[in-house]
Amino acid sequence: CGPRPRVTLVDRDERFSFSPMLYELVAGTATCWEVAPLYEELLEGSGVEFVRAEVRGLDEDERVVRLAEGEGAERGLPYDQCVLAFGLRPAIDLVPGVAEHAQPFTTASDALELKERLNALVRGGGGRDGGRLSLGIIGGGHVGGELAANVASALEGARAPIPLVHRAA
């Protein structure tokens, strides 16, 4: 069998985000712990070490992953075997206006920000002019569909049409 392997998980965020349930965080039907637990809590007792950092490079000859930690600090993390799973980041700079006017929806922080924005709109009585809300959801997959349904439910009475935009397959 040999010795137990040492496993280190590196992520720039302190929380794991379970994407299929992010809409439930917005709707308030799930807690942050259920949808986006802290890595340290999630991994407690597993033997897996968590390092909050950003991967800056991989030196295959030296067998070291270069990590950026904090302001300009960098360190090497040695490895025998390395698995790279970069995850998803929306490319919001590809379409003009998206970065200025859209709310990404890929992390727990995004979901909580969206929840706060929706609550502010409801408290404020409507859109910018005090009239009907104007919003849309881009991405008609499972998460987008569930998000649209839950946002519509949360905004019940606001008479806000919520277009769901999805690319053709």
Side-chain angles (χ1 to χ4, degrees):
C1 277
R4 185 176 179 163
R6 181 176 160 214
V7 177
T8 304
L9 172 68
V10 178
D11 198 303
R12 70 173 61 120
D13 296 318
E14 66 181 351
R15 294 182 178 276
F16 169 79
S17 288
F18 186 58
S19 299
M21 288 181 64
L22 285 176
Y23 69 89
E24 291 187 44
L25 195 55
V26 173
T29 58
T31 66
C32 207
W33 162 248
E34 293 170 306
V35 178
L38 292 167
Y39 278 114
E40 289 181 354
E41 292 176 9
L42 184 65
L43 298 171
E44 190 174 326
S46 70
V48 175
E49 177 189 359
F50 172 65
V51 175
R52 185 174 182 191
E54 186 168 324
V55 174
R56 290 297 169 126
L58 181 73
D59 185 330
E60 289 183 81
D61 294 332
E62 295 291 323
R63 301 181 73 82
V64 171
V65 178
R66 287 194 326 275
L67 305 176
E69 297 180 311
E71 296 181 32
E74 192 171 286
R75 77 168 173 134
L77 178 66
Y79 68 88
D80 292 319
Q81 299 287 322
C82 183
V83 176
L84 299 174
F86 292 110
L88 170 72
R89 291 284 178 188
I92 61 174
D93 57 340
L94 295 179
V95 178
V98 171
E100 297 83 16
H101 304 289
Q103 170 65 49
F105 193 71
T106 57
T107 68
S109 295
D110 295 341
L112 293 171
E113 173 69 21
L114 177 59
K115 182 178 182 175
E116 181 54 39
R117 285 182 174 200
L118 291 172
N119 288 339
L121 286 172
V122 170
R123 284 191 309 269
R128 291 184 186 153
D129 62 358
R132 291 178 65 176
L133 296 174
S134 177
L135 60 108
I137 295 173
I138 300 173
H142 297 296
V143 173
E146 291 288 351
L147 178 62
N150 280 276
V151 166
S153 178
L155 297 176
E156 191 174 355
R159 298 190 325 256
I162 303 174
L164 181 60
V165 180
H166 188 65
R167 67 181 169 101

